[in-house]
Amino acid sequence: MKTFHPQALRLPLFCIFLLLLFSLSALAQQDPTLKDSLQRKDVKKDKTVDLEEVQITTRRPPFVMRKDTMEFDAASIKMMPQSMVQDLLKRLPGVRIDASGNITVNGKKVSKIQVDGRDFFGSGTDAATKNLPASIVDKVQVTKYKNKDREFSQLVRPPEDEVVINLTLKADQNKGLLGDVQAGYGSKERYLGTGMIHAFQGKTRMGVYGAAGNGSPEMSSGMAVMISGPGSGGISESRNLMANFNEELSSKLTIDGNYGYDQQHNTVDRLTDRFNFLDNGGLSYIEQQKSISDNKGHRMMANIAYTPDTLSNWRIMPSFSYSPFKNEENRFATSSDANGLVLNTADSRNRTDGNRWSMQQYFMYNRKSKDGKTSMKLNWMLNLQNGTGTQFNHSDNHFFSPGAADSSNIIDQVNYTKDRGVGNTVGLELSRNLGAGFLIGLQYNLNQQSNSSRKSAFRNAGGGLGYVIPDSLFSNDSRNTNIMHQPLLQLAYRRKQLEIALNGGMSIIHQRNRLLLRDTVIRVDQRQFSPNLNVNYNFHDRGSLSFGYNISPSAPSPDQLAPVADPSNPLLVVIGNPSLKTSLTHSLQASYNHFVPKKGISTYLNGSLSFDKNRIVTDATYDTLGRQIQSFRNVDGSRRMQLDAGIQSSHRLAGLTIQPGLSLSASNNRDVGFINSQRNETLQQQYGLSLSCSIDYKEYLTLSPSASLNFNNTGYSLNELNDLSYHSSNYRMSMKLQPVRRLELNASYYYQYNSQIPEDFQRSSQLLNASIGYRFLKKEQLNFRVAVNDLLNNNVSSTTTIMSSYRENVQSNALKRYVLFVLQYKFNALGAGV
């Protein structure tokens, strides 16, 4: 394995420095006024000038606040030709897009992006950000995640953790066709192909998107066909197909629908270094794993909304998914004690194939009284799930005992699994405006979940007879039922900018777990008083302040309840606990946002505190041969504290736009686990600092440098365990340059380092990507580019995980250097773009 040396940074940093110098010199030649404005120091003399008649026009302000919605004027932001919505969002105050494409606004995650209030290719974000040109967008609206059904409710809701971005199109850009097709091929048999066409016809929209490839998403424009950036493991090849339909049949009836197909082939070569904590030291577990997986998925969804009048609303949302899968895995694992003495080895091969399907039906009805003071909401959701699978396990295991005879065994078996689930959720809500700002509301929610899990294991009889010997030790047949009643009463006050709500309710939980093979029934009954408090305050067009407290339940999963061993890893045996209770989480959240539109300053501060009752945690024990037996139990005492703050500003000068940003984070968490029946509390403190900046000069240049530092301190209550302290850092620089018309240069550099990763792993990695492209034809619709992924041939995937019972470092293979030649054609026949 390679060890990082600071000298390794010289080449990429020197390349970026040369690119920056070339960019500035090219810009000075492209626009001499930049050079003049920087060099000219003389004072202009007063002159008398006769002015001709001048017509003055006003523009919308670049940023306004409308109740709980931030609205940006897209036309006020100068963009490069061929810029996409993703490039536009990066220029907005408070917006952050990380290397994986995740979007946050003032620290809150963006859950979906809509176009004119309607979903665009489902509920994700990639479709709109990477396929729609920025030039067709009129306004960008950021609002709390909510749907139109809430307009019928009088209840005060808790603060939202997610937001939605809505793109409103220009008036002359909502009719016509928009399309993009590209194909590329390169070294190491890397390829990509994407195609998208979308038809806009006022209130009707239809679109189809397809993609295939086995390279990095940075090499394509449009939705990523792969995940293979810094820090992601494995080499993937994927194919995607999506279809979207939006129709407003009348002012009362709208229909949205989409279909998606995904196919992914992934090859992973992974090395795992895990240290399992013991009450008297620890065990080292080293595993080398190679796996090949093939996963497919079909998804269909529809959203039918009917609003017969201003007082009522109906909504029906059916969905269906089907996912076949196949996986082959080989692993060799070794466990050693603290002195390096080998305790056991396992050489195993597993093959799994099967399928899963689910069907969901959601129904909602809302009604208001004629005076608008009384509201009713009724909803019902049916969820059906089914999964079947076949798993072949073969492992050759050896155990070494000092002073005693060694032993070994061979596991050769097949498991047939079948899981089914039926869930029903029914909700009724009544609310009334009492006048003078006072509100009252009643809610009742019923959640019923029934799961059946059957696992039949058979051993190989040998002699060509096959797998015919039943193995009751690894077989299971269980039925789990969970019923939860939640009645709630809300008293609230709403006046202008202020909302206050006090909620009181009960969570009544009944669990029944039937173990058919053991003729055993386990019953668990719980009752929990569930108070909630919500406070929201809006500072007109300057920001908002919110506070909330709530209690949320979480039922154990079927795997956590199943009392049988999973034989896929003989050295790490997982057995469920059918006596687990539902865990309850008490949460406090506070959020503050402040905006200064004229100065382009955006600040936020988010904090949260949560603690658990009956939290489901790991219970790990070890036998004399070093095998880990892992189960689960309920425990109290865990908590999590999180604080995030950030500020971003925007400055403009002589065609130059600079948007610096700073964000800080801190967390203090206490987790509880059990090691050989001894309680181990883990206290983890994390601190983070992120700096970013977006530098744009007219439509010629965009520079986006960023850096983040994170510090971690972890302590353990067991005296025999040593505390841990480590840090990690990430640096990124991306550049987009158009020195002359039609020519575009792109470069991006990533650097990451983690001091906790062992020295024989690769603690640091660098990734330098670059491309050069030229646009042809009158409207520059044809683009040819040459792209190079990982110029330094240094990409690697490394992760660190620290838990109450172990710490683990994982290193996986990643996509390395290759060259790709891409030809792309775009057409825009929207409105004036014809």
Side-chain angles (χ1 to χ4, degrees):
M1 299 294 179
K2 297 183 179 180
T3 302
F4 169 72
H5 299 285
Q7 292 82 357
L9 285 173
R10 293 178 179 176
L11 175 60
L13 292 178
F14 180 68
C15 294
I16 293 177
F17 180 69
L18 287 180
L19 286 171
L20 182 57
L21 288 180
F22 174 70
S23 304
L24 294 176
S25 62
L27 288 175
Q29 297 295 326
Q30 179 76 16
D31 192 345
T33 60
L34 175 61
K35 180 179 179 181
D36 294 341
S37 63
L38 295 175
Q39 293 180 350
R40 190 167 51 238
K41 296 182 180 180
D42 58 302
V43 180
K44 295 181 180 181
K45 298 180 180 180
D46 292 338
K47 293 183 180 181
T48 301
V49 181
D50 293 331
L51 297 177
E52 297 179 357
E53 182 180 353
V54 178
Q55 182 179 359
I56 299 177
T57 59
T58 60
R59 289 194 53 82
R60 291 177 303 194
F63 174 92
V64 295
M65 190 77 184
R66 305 183 189 278
K67 293 185 179 180
D68 58 355
T69 299
M70 295 184 293
E71 186 176 286
F72 300 91
D73 178 21
S76 66
I77 302 174
K78 298 295 183 182
M79 301 297 299
M80 286 186 176
Q82 311 299 323
S83 293
M84 309 306 289
V85 166
Q86 179 175 256
D87 303 310
L88 172 63
L89 295 180
K90 290 179 180 178
R91 308 275 288 274
L92 302 180
V95 178
R96 289 287 180 270
I97 302 179
D98 64 19
S100 301
N102 300 310
I103 306 173
T104 58
V105 179
N106 295 324
K108 293 184 178 291
K109 179 183 176 182
V110 175
S111 59
K112 66 166 64 177
I113 292 183
Q114 297 181 321
V115 178
D116 285 335
R118 311 285 292 277
D119 290 348
F120 187 78
F121 281 110
S123 59
T125 61
D126 279 356
T129 59
K130 297 183 178 181
N131 289 278
L132 290 180
S135 60
I136 70 173
V137 179
D138 181 37
K139 292 178 292 187
V140 179
Q141 298 171 332
V142 181
T143 186
K144 296 178 182 178
Y145 179 70
K146 59 184 180 181
N147 53 51
K148 294 182 178 180
D149 304 307
R150 287 197 175 183
E151 298 176 1
F152 288 84
S153 176
Q154 306 282 354
L155 296 184
V156 174
R157 303 293 178 175
E160 299 289 350
D161 294 327
E162 298 180 345
V163 295
V164 173
I165 291 179
N166 179 50
L167 307 173
T168 64
L169 303 184
K170 295 177 180 177
D172 60 348
Q173 298 289 303
N174 62 357
K175 290 186 179 181
L177 294 176
L178 183 69
D180 183 347
V181 61
Q182 64 176 336
Y185 191 79
S187 61
K188 299 182 180 179
E189 299 184 343
R190 299 295 164 202
Y191 74 94
L192 75 84
T194 66
M196 186 273 292
I197 184 170
H198 206 86
F200 295 81
Q201 191 61 38
K203 298 177 180 180
T204 302
R205 295 202 304 249
M206 292 181 292
V208 178
Y209 176 87
N214 60 0
S216 169
E218 283 203 2
M219 298 302 178
S220 67
S221 65
M223 284 184 287
V225 295
M226 284 192 46
I227 301 175
S228 187
S232 60
I235 308 297
S236 297
E237 180 177 12
S238 62
R239 293 175 174 82
N240 314 94
L241 177 65
M242 297 180 67
N244 187 76
F245 174 77
N246 306 101
E247 175 65 50
E248 186 173 334
L249 297 176
S250 68
S251 59
K252 298 181 180 181
L253 180 62
T254 62
I255 299 177
D256 299 331
N258 65 75
Y259 165 80
Y261 170 77
D262 301 293
Q263 178 182 347
Q264 182 161 334
H265 176 88
N266 195 38
T267 303
V268 178
D269 190 350
R270 178 176 292 129
L271 175 62
T272 300
D273 182 357
R274 173 185 286 196
F275 187 78
N276 296 308
F277 302 141
L278 293 179
D279 51 339
N280 58 355
L283 293 177
S284 174
Y285 176 83
I286 305 294
E287 177 187 281
Q288 292 179 315
Q289 175 191 348
K290 294 185 177 181
S291 65
I292 299 176
S293 61
D294 287 286
N295 297 290
K296 301 177 182 179
H298 301 264
R299 306 178 311 277
M300 292 179 286
M301 188 186 74
N303 186 347
I304 304 171
Y306 178 60
T307 308
D309 49 51
T310 59
L311 301 178
S312 60
N313 170 271
W314 300 77
R315 186 178 296 273
I316 300 175
M317 298 176 61
S319 63
F320 176 80
S321 67
Y322 173 73
S323 303
F325 58 89
K326 182 181 296 185
N327 180 67
E328 295 185 12
E329 181 180 271
N330 296 327
R331 70 174 82 190
F332 181 80
T334 303
S335 296
S336 307
D337 63 14
N339 299 318
L341 181 66
V342 176
L343 300 177
N344 54 59
T345 63
D347 187 359
S348 60
R349 298 181 299 277
N350 304 314
R351 188 176 81 250
T352 305
D353 61 82
N355 64 78
R356 294 181 294 268
W357 64 261
S358 66
M359 184 173 64
Q360 189 177 88
Q361 174 63 58
Y362 182 73
F363 167 83
M364 179 179 288
Y365 174 68
N366 297 278
R367 179 73 183 179
K368 273 186 179 182
S369 62
K370 291 183 179 181
D371 60 5
K373 294 184 176 182
T374 303
S375 301
M376 183 196 73
K377 174 183 173 182
L378 175 65
N379 63 277
W380 170 56
M381 183 173 67
L382 171 66
N383 193 354
L384 304 176
Q385 295 181 341
N386 186 84
T388 59
T390 302
Q391 181 185 51
F392 292 89
N393 300 310
H394 182 95
S395 61
D396 189 359
N397 313 303
H398 298 272
F399 306 95
F400 309 98
S401 301
D406 298 339
S407 62
S408 63
N409 65 25
I410 294 177
I411 297 177
D412 188 8
Q413 65 176 207
V414 62
N415 299 313
Y416 301 102
T417 61
K418 187 165 187 174
D419 301 301
R420 292 181 178 178
V422 178
N424 282 280
T425 301
V426 179
L428 175 63
E429 174 188 306
L430 297 172
S431 56
R432 172 72 178 177
N433 187 336
L434 302 177
F438 290 96
L439 310 168
I440 187 171
L442 292 171
Q443 278 185 297
Y444 172 75
N445 294 308
L446 170 64
N447 183 284
Q448 178 268 334
Q449 184 70 41
S450 298
N451 298 302
S452 65
S453 178
R454 177 180 296 175
K455 180 179 179 181
S456 303
F458 297 88
R459 297 197 305 270
N460 193 340
L465 297 177
Y467 299 91
V468 294
I469 303 176
D471 192 338
S472 59
L473 181 63
F474 295 102
S475 298
N476 175 56
D477 193 355
S478 62
R479 306 289 186 271
N480 306 314
T481 301
N482 188 301
I483 299 176
M484 181 167 57
H485 306 267
Q486 288 182 300
L488 181 143
L489 170 66
Q490 179 180 100
L491 298 175
Y493 176 79
R494 179 187 289 132
R495 202 70 170 180
K496 295 182 179 179
Q497 301 109 301
L498 178 64
E499 293 181 335
I500 302 176
L502 178 63
N503 305 282
M506 289 289 294
S507 293
I508 305 170
I509 304 169
H510 303 286
Q511 292 177 228
R512 187 184 183 189
N513 306 323
R514 298 175 58 202
L515 311 178
L516 300 183
L517 296 183
R518 303 183 184 184
D519 194 22
T520 301
V521 178
I522 299 174
R523 291 181 174 87
V524 178
D525 295 316
Q526 297 172 256
R527 284 176 173 81
Q528 175 67 45
F529 177 62
S530 304
N532 296 304
L533 175 65
N534 304 313
V535 179
N536 305 317
Y537 185 81
N538 292 317
F539 301 98
H540 294 290
D541 60 345
R542 293 289 182 172
S544 63
L545 173 67
S546 60
F547 172 82
Y549 166 74
N550 69 286
I551 298 177
S552 58
S554 178
S557 68
D559 290 337
Q560 292 173 329
L561 293 170
V564 295
D566 178 2
S568 58
N569 185 349
L571 304 185
L572 177 59
V573 181
V574 180
I575 303 176
N577 178 4
S579 299
L580 288 176
K581 299 179 180 179
T582 294
S583 64
L584 298 168
T585 301
H586 301 252
S587 301
L588 286 165
Q589 311 96 19
S591 176
Y592 171 74
N593 297 280
H594 186 256
F595 315 101
V596 184
K598 293 182 179 180
K599 296 183 179 181
I601 297 177
S602 170
T603 59
Y604 69 89
L605 176 64
N606 301 318
S608 63
L609 167 65
S610 64
F611 52 95
D612 303 296
K613 180 180 180 181
N614 293 324
R615 181 179 173 88
I616 300 173
V617 301
T618 300
D619 186 0
T621 59
Y622 299 84
D623 61 17
T624 57
L625 300 179
R627 289 175 295 195
Q628 180 183 157
I629 312 300
Q630 180 176 300
S631 188
F632 308 93
R633 69 162 70 179
N634 295 108
V635 68
D636 297 335
S638 63
R639 60 154 172 79
R640 290 165 297 282
M641 299 173 60
Q642 179 74 33
L643 185 66
D644 300 289
I647 181 171
Q648 185 177 11
S649 61
S650 180
H651 310 275
R652 297 185 182 184
L653 176 64
L656 193 66
T657 301
I658 302 176
Q659 291 182 309
L662 167 68
S663 62
L664 303 171
S665 65
S667 65
N668 187 303
N669 302 326
R670 182 174 64 198
D671 292 317
V672 180
F674 289 86
I675 302 174
N676 283 340
S677 300
Q678 293 195 47
R679 181 185 176 107
N680 180 36
E681 295 187 359
T682 303
L683 183 62
Q684 189 173 63
Q685 298 174 334
Q686 292 180 317
Y687 307 95
L689 166 67
S690 296
L691 297 169
S692 64
C693 188
S694 176
I695 305 172
D696 301 275
Y697 181 70
K698 295 186 176 179
E699 68 272 19
Y700 307 125
L701 173 67
T702 297
L703 291 174
S704 301
S706 63
S708 64
L709 299 173
N710 293 278
F711 303 89
N712 184 293
N713 296 296
T714 304
Y716 304 95
S717 61
L718 290 178
N719 296 328
E720 293 78 6
L721 302 180
N722 296 323
D723 295 348
L724 296 176
S725 181
Y726 67 95
H727 68 277
S728 62
S729 58
N730 293 272
Y731 305 95
R732 178 176 181 176
M733 166 69 85
S734 61
M735 182 202 73
K736 181 180 290 186
L737 171 67
Q738 184 174 281
V740 296
R741 185 183 175 187
R742 297 178 180 269
L743 180 65
E744 185 176 300
L745 305 174
N746 288 273
S748 61
Y749 172 74
Y750 306 86
Y751 170 77
Q752 57 183 10
Y753 173 80
N754 189 333
S755 65
Q756 173 60 27
I757 295 177
E759 293 185 358
D760 54 345
F761 278 48
Q762 187 171 327
R763 285 185 170 181
S764 66
S765 66
Q766 303 175 70
L767 180 64
L768 179 61
N769 298 335
S771 68
I772 180 171
Y774 192 83
R775 297 188 294 273
F776 298 88
L777 303 182
K778 181 178 180 180
K779 296 184 179 180
E780 304 182 13
Q781 309 101 305
L782 184 65
N783 180 24
F784 176 75
R785 68 181 182 275
V786 181
V788 182
N789 178 79
D790 191 16
L791 275 164
L792 305 178
N793 206 35
N794 189 246
N795 192 22
V796 70
S797 168
S798 298
T799 60
T800 295
T801 303
I802 296 180
M803 303 296 289
S804 59
S805 59
Y806 68 90
R807 66 172 181 264
E808 181 180 84
N809 297 292
V810 178
Q811 183 168 295
S812 305
N813 59 325
L815 198 61
K816 289 186 177 292
R817 181 168 53 207
Y818 70 92
V819 181
L820 195 68
F821 301 90
V822 182
L823 188 64
Q824 181 181 24
Y825 180 77
K826 295 183 178 182
F827 61 91
N828 182 350
L830 295 176
V834 179

